[in-house]
Amino acid sequence: MKDPFEGITEQLFENKHVLEEDYDPETILEREAEIEAYRNALKDILFGRTPSNIFIYGKTGVGKTAVTRFMMDALQTQVEGRTAADRLTVLFHNCNNDSAYGTLRAFINTLRSPSEPTFPKKGLSTSDALEEFYALLDERGGTFLLVLDEIDHLAKVNSLLYEIPRARSNGNLKRAKIGVIGISNNYRFRDSLSPKVKGTLMEKELSFSPYDADELRTILSHRAEKAFIEGGYKQSAIALCAAKAAQDTGSARQALDLLSTGGDIAEDRGEDIVTDEHIRDAETRVQRGRVRNKIQDQTPHGQLILEAIARLEANEKTPVRSKTIQSTYERVANRWQTEPLSSLRSVQDHLSELKMLGFLSRTERNDGRAGGAYYEYELAMDANAVFTARKEIEHEEPTT
Ligand SMILES: Nc1ncnc2c1ncn2[C@@H]1O[C@H](COP(=O)(O)OP(=O)(O)OP(=O)(O)O)[C@@H](O)[C@H]1O
Ligand SMILES: [Mg+2]
């Protein structure tokens, strides 16, 4: 039998990693105004002053993390060349689903030398962790910047943001200076903080706007040159990715994802140039993947209930009451060899959840005294998209 891998060569990508999420771009393009504002917010550090607290806001994929990394590297280099500046330590943490304690623990472990034991996961309080953290900062001395990325996902954020900015005035920190950089894509994050915290934080705010098509084209072109072999893509394909992402979210991540998926599709088809057609197909594939991931995140019964409503929708039976959904759901569950939930109440709980997440829409009806008030549900997405995703999740070949 012939070797199935024989003859496969890289004929399109020169370095595909350049288009991936974990690639650190060596240059930041199209964010001059944001970089300038960032620079001004950070400049105190160059003169050995206490750093300002900074909050960065902006939607997903607009370069908040990338620009922050770039700025921190540049700042570190500057500080090393200036005598007025104190030694700088930047501590990064992604707060996604972490607690104040977990965040402090991560910082402590970074600061401790590798020969020391790690800070315990359990058994101590957040104030114990703060005490140890301050002790380590004072031991090392200099200026510290704590970058709290995705800070809106940090549980008990108030306790940290109240304590840390007051550490010096409270006498908890003697030698070290400390500033917090919070990054969030929730513009209402500040409003969610307690009044006490808002009063002490005194932060500078920077806002990152979505990219337009021209800006995305610049960013993509730069990456594409490194990612693909010469002549491996059409300029129009780059422009199309930029236009589509600009129209949708203005996210560089989305634009890069389209381009990289377009490259995959071209490569799979054995073609040696990425064209507009590949990008259009990539868009369909990316969208399908997005729907599938969103559905896959639901509990098994949540998925079955969603599939039940999709069936009712496809048969033009919607809007529909929860009782009818329940009986369809029972049939769907049987089809997937799953024991259905038995109470209407638990089906209704799933319906509320699915509604909250935007899968369904719900209307309140009132039949007057006789019927009372009740809800009717409709699918808020394409029924075929649900069927395809469900089949993929269950590893059945999609037929649609
Ligand atoms: N101005 C830019 N120049 C070069 N690459 C960029 C630029 N902006 C964003 N990128 C790239 O786009 C992707 C997304 O950017 P980044 O992770 O910084 O977004 P973000 O604003 O932090 O999004 P999220 O809120 O989802 O965390 C990354 O791969 C990043 O390298
Ligand atoms: Mg980010």
Side-chain angles (χ1 to χ4, degrees):
M1 198 181 165
K2 199 173 150 255
D3 174 359
F5 296 109
E6 197 188 302
I8 292 195
T9 52
E10 281 223 291
Q11 53 177 0
L12 197 55
F13 287 109
E14 174 93 38
N15 180 4
K16 197 175 166 201
H17 180 229
V18 173
L19 301 178
E20 285 163 5
E21 179 70 29
D22 58 348
Y23 175 78
D24 244 340
E26 70 269 34
T27 39
I28 298 290
L29 300 158
E30 305 286 359
R31 290 271 90 146
E32 285 80 12
E34 288 77 3
I35 289 176
E36 165 142 16
Y38 220 143
R39 190 183 77 131
N40 290 335
L42 289 167
K43 69 174 184 308
D44 285 330
I45 296 171
L46 301 179
F47 313 125
R49 304 176 193 149
T50 303
S52 314
N53 298 310
I54 303 173
F55 274 75
I56 315 278
Y57 295 101
K59 291 200 174 137
T60 183
V62 296
K64 301 181 300 297
T65 302
V67 171
T68 300
R69 287 194 181 282
F70 170 79
M71 291 304 290
M72 293 302 112
D73 286 350
L75 182 67
Q76 191 66 264
T77 311
Q78 260 306 308
V79 161
E80 280 159 21
R82 291 184 182 239
T83 43
D86 296 326
R87 171 157 96 144
L88 174 69
T89 310
V90 180
L91 298 169
F92 260 99
H93 188 65
N94 187 304
C95 305
N96 207 350
N97 291 325
D98 208 349
S99 60
Y101 183 85
T103 303
L104 287 168
R105 179 175 180 269
F107 290 150
I108 291 168
N109 289 338
T110 311
L111 291 169
R112 281 186 175 177
S113 73
S115 61
E116 284 177 274
T118 58
F119 196 72
K121 265 202 177 114
K122 287 196 186 108
L124 295 175
S125 67
T126 304
S127 28
D128 296 328
L130 260 177
E131 195 177 314
E132 171 65 8
F133 180 57
Y134 290 146
L136 285 166
L137 298 194
D138 264 344
E139 195 182 296
R140 183 187 277 235
T143 301
F144 290 82
L145 280 178
L146 307 189
V147 182
L148 301 173
D149 203 351
E150 309 195 16
I151 191 170
D152 46 309
H153 292 276
L154 180 64
K156 304 217 181 105
V157 63
N158 281 302
S159 59
L160 273 193
L161 291 186
Y162 183 62
E163 291 298 333
I164 291 177
R166 306 163 77 237
R168 259 177 99 91
S169 56
N170 276 350
N172 291 325
L173 271 187
K174 299 200 173 56
R175 295 178 56 218
K177 294 174 184 146
I178 189 165
V180 174
I181 299 181
I183 305 178
S184 165
N185 48 36
N186 178 2
Y187 287 91
R188 287 192 304 271
F189 172 69
R190 194 177 201 283
D191 297 339
S192 72
L193 296 174
S194 81
K196 217 169 67 166
V197 172
K198 280 190 244 181
T200 37
L201 199 55
M202 301 289 293
E203 79 281 22
K204 294 183 176 166
E205 279 187 17
L206 266 61
S207 137
F208 282 44
S209 50
Y211 291 112
D212 67 24
D214 286 339
E215 291 166 337
L216 288 175
R217 204 167 55 201
T218 313
I219 295 170
L220 285 184
S221 301
H222 195 79
R223 294 277 182 105
E225 261 174 46
K226 296 202 173 92
F228 294 101
I229 56 159
E230 219 184 309
Y233 56 92
K234 287 209 151 160
Q235 289 300 337
S236 61
I238 303 282
L240 190 59
C241 290
K244 282 184 182 297
Q247 216 168 41
D248 189 13
T249 57
S251 152
R253 183 182 297 116
Q254 184 184 23
L256 287 163
D257 198 20
L258 271 178
L259 183 59
S260 147
T261 309
D264 281 339
I265 292 175
E267 189 177 52
D268 289 349
R269 292 181 190 162
E271 286 161 33
D272 52 15
I273 181 161
V274 184
T275 64
D276 296 23
E277 189 194 328
H278 300 132
I279 302 304
R280 277 190 285 271
D281 292 347
E283 189 185 27
T284 315
R285 190 190 280 189
V286 169
Q287 269 165 358
R288 230 172 68 183
R290 217 187 287 162
V291 171
R292 189 190 52 232
N293 289 343
K294 217 175 127 190
I295 294 180
Q296 199 153 21
D297 285 344
Q298 306 311 306
T299 62
H301 289 291
Q303 293 187 32
L304 295 172
I305 290 169
L306 183 66
E307 189 179 328
I309 300 176
R311 288 202 183 190
L312 291 161
E313 179 100 1
N315 294 325
E316 293 172 19
K317 298 268 171 54
T318 51
V320 62
R321 292 179 68 160
S322 53
K323 192 90 187 93
T324 316
I325 296 172
Q326 187 183 21
S327 49
T328 309
Y329 151 70
E330 284 165 357
R331 281 201 300 280
V332 171
N334 286 332
R335 141 114 167 69
W336 293 113
Q337 277 109 41
T338 306
E339 185 67 32
L341 299 168
S342 56
S343 79
L344 181 60
R345 183 74 239 161
S346 42
V347 172
Q348 285 166 340
D349 288 345
H350 277 292
L351 289 171
S352 306
E353 176 83 13
L354 290 168
K355 186 235 155 205
M356 210 179 66
L357 295 168
F359 288 107
L360 312 176
S361 62
R362 185 172 80 179
T363 325
E364 192 169 352
R365 301 255 177 240
N366 207 322
D367 277 354
R369 238 176 251 165
Y374 59 90
Y375 290 126
E376 282 188 337
Y377 298 86
E378 274 177 276
L379 192 67
M381 59 203 296
D382 178 35
N384 281 324
V386 176
F387 299 140
T388 310
R390 281 286 305 141
K391 284 177 183 155
E392 284 178 5
I393 293 166
E394 303 283 352
H395 304 295
E396 255 194 16
E397 278 303 305
T399 47
T400 42

